[in-house]
Amino acid sequence: MARDRRTAVLVVVALVAAGIGVAGYREVVATSSSATSSSGVPASDVPSVGGEPATPAALDAPGEDDTGVPPGTELEPYAGPCTLVETAVLSGVDATGVCPAIVVQAPDVRIEDSRVPRVESTATQADASFSVEVLDSEVVAGAWIGGAIWGSNLTVRRVDVTGGQHSVHCGSHCLVEDSWLHDQHNPDGEAAHNNAFITNGGTDMVVRGNTLHCTPTLNATGGGCTADLSLFGDFEPVRDVLVEGNLFKANASSVPYCAFGGDAPGKPYPQATGIVFRGNVFERGTNGTCGVYGPVTSFDPAAPDNAWEDNTWDDGRPLAP
C-alpha cells in the first residue's frame, strides 16, 4: 500500500535505506554482516484516577497509509533469481507472480520499496551469516501455511505483511519495527493456528512500534488465531525479547489472549527470560478484553530480567499482567 511517513506508537524511529539495482537486482560486494492472564474487567468497572477517566493512549499505529511501498514508486517486474545465494539488493520491483518465495541464502540481502511473496532466511538451517532486511515493502504471502516472513537474522521495517499462517515467524535475531502485520491465511476445513508474530524458541528479538493484528475468525474445524504475539519455548528457550510500543488489536472470535508471554510449564523449555513488555497498547474490542479470555497470559514477572512497564488499554487505563 502507498504510505506516508509517520510517528510510530509511543516511539519515534528515523531510518533510511539506499541502493538501487538494474531490474531491481544487483550483486553487492559484501561489507559487514548484520546480521496468567490479566483480569479483563470492562472499562466501566475500572476505577479512574482522581475521579476522572484516564487519558486515552496514543493510537497513531501503522496501517495502510504508512507501511508498504512509498507513494510514487513505480515497480518493475522482477527479473532476478528467486533464491539469493549472493549478497544482493532488490529495489523497486514486483516479484509476486514471478517467485513463489524469495529465499535468502546469503548475508546482507536487502529488499526495499518492493512487492514480494513470502521471504525466507535459512540462516537457522544452513549458515548463521545469512540475513535479510525488508524495508518499505509489501510482503504478500497468500495461501501459505508457514511464515510470510520466516527465519533468523531478520530486519523488517515499515512493511505491510499479509497472508501466510503467521506474519513473522522468528528463529533468533529479529527486529520488526513500524510495520503492519495482518490478514493471515486460515483455510476452511483445516485447523491452522495463526499469529501476527511468533517464535517457537530463540533469542534477541525486538518487536517495536507495530500494529499486531491476528485477524482470522474461528472456523468450523478449530482453525483461527493463537494471539497477536506468541512466545513459545518449543525448540529452545525464549530469551531477550523486547516488545515495545505496539498496538495489539482485538479479536474476540478466535484469539484466546492477545499475547502469550513465554512462561508455559507444558513446553519443553517452560521459562522465558529477559522478556520486556513496555509501552504497548491493548485494544479492548467488542468484548472489552482484547482476546476471548483476556489481553495477556503466560508472562512471569518474577522470571530473571522480565519486566512489564507502562502497558495500557486503548482508553489509557493501566494494564497489569
Side-chain angles (χ1 to χ4, degrees), residues 103-128:
V103 180
V104 175
Q105 297 181 351
D108 301 320
V109 169
R110 186 164 72 247
I111 301 168
E112 61 185 17
D113 304 338
S114 294
R115 182 180 298 116
V116 296
R118 69 182 191 270
V119 177
E120 301 182 0
S121 174
T122 60
T124 305
Q125 284 70 32
D127 185 326

Side-chain angles (χ1 to χ4, degrees), residues 2 6 39 53 55 79 92 106 109 115 180 213 215 251 304 306 315:
R6 62 163 187 89
S39 67
T55 302
V109 169
R115 182 180 298 116
W180 185 24
H213 194 186
T215 55
N251 181 337
N306 284 8
D315 58 9

Side-chain angles (χ1 to χ4, degrees), residues 15-16 29 48 73 76 82 85 102 109 130 145 178 182 239 295:
L15 300 156
V16 178
V29 177
S48 59
T73 303
E76 301 179 14
C82 299
V85 296
I102 301 296
V109 169
F130 296 171
I145 299 301
D178 298 341
H182 63 114
R239 302 192 308 268

Side-chain angles (χ1 to χ4, degrees), residues 127-294:
D127 185 326
S129 73
F130 296 171
S131 65
V132 61
E133 291 182 287
V134 187
L135 312 171
D136 301 293
S137 294
E138 297 172 32
V139 174
V140 186
W144 172 249
I145 299 301
I149 304 176
W150 170 85
S152 293
N153 301 339
L154 305 173
T155 298
V156 178
R157 288 180 169 133
R158 300 178 300 277
V159 178
D160 180 351
V161 186
T162 60
Q165 179 182 0
H166 316 295
S167 301
V168 176
H169 191 173
C170 176
S172 286
H173 313 300
C174 298
L175 169 64
V176 182
E177 196 165 50
D178 298 341
S179 294
W180 185 24
L181 282 53
H182 63 114
D183 289 299
Q184 299 79 19
H185 174 61
N186 182 22
D188 291 335
E190 297 186 28
H193 293 164
N194 306 100
N195 297 270
F197 178 94
I198 184 173
T199 183
N200 294 108
T203 188
D204 183 24
M205 304 171 209
V206 176
V207 183
R208 180 165 52 209
N210 306 286
T211 297
L212 305 174
H213 194 186
C214 193
T215 55
T217 56
L218 190 66
N219 67 22
T221 49
C225 290
T226 300
D228 291 333
L229 178 141
S230 292
L231 310 178
F232 293 137
D234 290 308
F235 307 126
E236 58 182 291
V238 180
R239 302 192 308 268
D240 301 329
V241 181
L242 173 62
V243 182
E244 181 176 51
N246 303 283
L247 173 61
F248 284 78
K249 294 284 288 181
N251 181 337
S253 167
S254 71
V255 169
Y257 297 91
C258 285
F260 282 78
D263 182 68
K267 294 289 185 181
Y269 301 93
Q271 186 181 57
T273 60
I275 312 303
V276 177
F277 282 77
R278 178 186 298 131
N280 300 286
V281 175
F282 288 76
E283 185 179 58
R284 284 193 179 274
T286 58
N287 69 350
T289 62
C290 196
V292 174
Y293 303 116

